[in-house]
Amino acid sequence: QWRVLCTVRDIGESEITILAEQVFLLPPRLSRIVRDLEARGLLLRRSSVQDQRRALVSVTAAGEALIERVEPSLIEMRLEMRRAVGLSRLRALGDLLDEIETCLGAPVRPSRD
């Protein structure tokens, strides 16, 4: 759910199918997550004006507030991991994860730096 919420915030209003590609989830699984986030008031879902069959999602003010409140502690946790294992090992882990994604045919994740 966190990944979905932050991705919508980062890419802006998006169609479910495009969002599914960005967060590496199948559309039915993503739809359940979006439904839950919407019920909690963190995401807003609406139909596309051009095609009523397509759903668009965006982050609400409450979703933005949650991200702003939680994100600093996540950044601190990433810094702690960097201190604990070192940047080179974290990069090696990221490279390995990228390699696995490539082998599985998934899109490569954005840079972790």
Side-chain angles (χ1 to χ4, degrees):
Q1 288 184 351
W2 181 255
R3 186 172 75 231
V4 169
L5 186 62
C6 289
T7 300
V8 173
R9 185 258 333 247
D10 292 344
I11 66 175
E13 185 176 62
S14 178
E15 288 184 14
I16 294 283
T17 53
I18 293 169
L19 181 58
E21 292 172 5
Q22 293 291 313
V23 295
F24 309 107
L25 291 171
L26 295 172
R29 172 82 174 117
L30 177 60
S31 290
R32 287 189 294 274
I33 291 171
V34 167
R35 189 174 27 237
D36 181 59
L37 291 170
E38 185 181 25
R40 293 169 52 203
L42 303 174
L43 285 183
L44 176 66
R45 183 188 342 214
R46 68 177 185 85
S47 295
S48 168
V49 173
Q50 292 84 9
D51 185 345
Q52 296 293 312
R53 296 170 295 173
R54 295 180 182 236
L56 300 171
V57 291
S58 58
V59 177
T60 64
E64 289 280 357
L66 177 64
I67 291 170
E68 288 179 24
R69 191 172 67 248
V70 173
E71 203 165 37
S73 31
L74 293 177
I75 292 169
E76 182 56 38
M77 286 180 2
R78 287 186 191 120
L79 290 172
E80 183 59 34
M81 286 190 313
R82 182 183 284 186
R83 286 190 288 269
V85 300
L87 182 57
S88 64
R89 289 176 69 195
L90 282 178
R91 284 190 174 149
L93 174 60
D95 291 343
L96 180 58
L97 291 172
D98 289 343
E99 188 176 325
I100 290 169
E101 287 176 355
T102 300
C103 290
L104 296 175
V108 177
R109 293 173 292 120
S111 172
R112 297 161 308 280
D113 293 320

